[in-house]
Amino acid sequence: MTIPSKFRLYLAGTMLALLISCSDNPSLKFPTEAEVEQMYSHYSSSSSSEFSSSSEPSSSSSVPSSSSFSALPSSSSFINERGTFIDTRDKKTYNWVKIGDQVWMAQNLNYNLSVNAVCHTKDENCSCGMLYTWIQAMALNAPKDNCDEQYCTGKIETPHNGMCLEGWHIPTKEEWETLISFSNKSANNLKATSGWGTNNGYDQYGFAALPCGEQDSLSYGTKGIWWTTAEDNPGSFAYQFMMDENNDVIDLKSNSKKFNFSVRCIKDN
């Protein structure tokens, strides 16, 4: 593949600026020749796309509808594609970001029209998003299904829409693990650059993870915890992933389905 020198010069300048500004991030490195070719191939093919995306979130004046996501490339490891969309259920606007082959919401879900989700007691404006029990996140009927006390694997679809808007779903444990692997298993690469006290992250990919904690606990401002669809033994438990302000680790945890944690939706393939 013949790659124009202007593109190589632009890419080299961008990477040099990143390396200088993020010199304390050992995961940054210049791309290989194969990665440069992949980036240029994506750049060339997406330049005529009808989908409005950029390296920065687009303004609210040009918000695409959720159906506009069909214009996203089906597969590419090029990162930093991002934009915004509107949840038609309550008209809230969310950021999205493409990381590897996955498209994630770049904010926690903040939908509460049909469930009794809560905000953290220290988050009066719910700027961190709603906190959901596992049953609420999965949009299951707790009293009828008794899913907060026993396994409900048969009620979990693939993908499982849950409380996410149409075209998006609650991430599986494996989808979270794919994201973690792409981030070099570094919480700092996924943490937001503010909100984590004195140990803020690099937000290398635009995921902007925040420490929204668990309702009524001391974890607000220190821990970010997100549900997955996966249940654990006993059936009254389910898995979630956690980041802590004091380390660079992303932990897989198992807790009662009755706890209130954050939700990040991921786009259907």
Side-chain angles (χ1 to χ4, degrees), residues 213-240:
E214 194 269 328
Q215 183 191 15
D216 298 328
S217 75
L218 298 176
S219 57
Y220 183 79
T222 64
K223 291 179 174 61
I225 312 169
W226 296 269
W227 283 119
T228 76
T229 59
E231 296 174 281
D232 191 21
N233 183 29
S236 58
F237 276 53
Y239 287 107
Q240 60 282 158

Side-chain angles (χ1 to χ4, degrees), residues 74-150:
S74 59
S75 64
S76 170
S77 61
F78 186 78
I79 62 172
N80 285 339
E81 284 186 75
R82 49 181 91 183
T84 59
F85 67 92
I86 294 177
D87 186 340
T88 56
R89 299 173 297 181
D90 58 6
K91 308 305 180 184
K92 286 189 174 74
T93 300
Y94 292 94
N95 295 326
W96 62 264
V97 63
K98 189 170 191 288
I99 305 175
D101 293 330
Q102 299 175 316
V103 176
W104 287 85
M105 286 175 57
Q107 296 167 251
N108 292 338
L109 186 64
N110 199 12
Y111 176 69
N112 193 34
L113 288 185
S114 59
V115 297
N116 294 318
V118 297
C119 301
H120 195 281
T121 52
K122 294 182 179 180
D123 185 19
E124 294 181 359
N125 297 321
C126 220
S127 58
C128 237
M130 292 285 178
L131 300 176
Y132 304 84
T133 66
W134 187 83
I135 304 301
Q136 291 171 339
M138 302 304 128
L140 299 174
N141 189 325
K144 179 180 178 180
D145 298 331
N146 200 29
C147 285
D148 54 352
E149 298 290 348
Q150 64 185 20

Side-chain angles (χ1 to χ4, degrees), residues 177-193:
E177 288 169 345
T178 296
L179 173 67
I180 293 167
S181 177
F182 191 90
S183 70
N184 294 319
K185 300 182 179 179
S186 167
N188 287 333
N189 283 339
L190 298 176
K191 289 178 182 177
T193 56

Side-chain angles (χ1 to χ4, degrees), residues 67 154 159 192 255 265:
S67 61
N255 281 293
C265 300

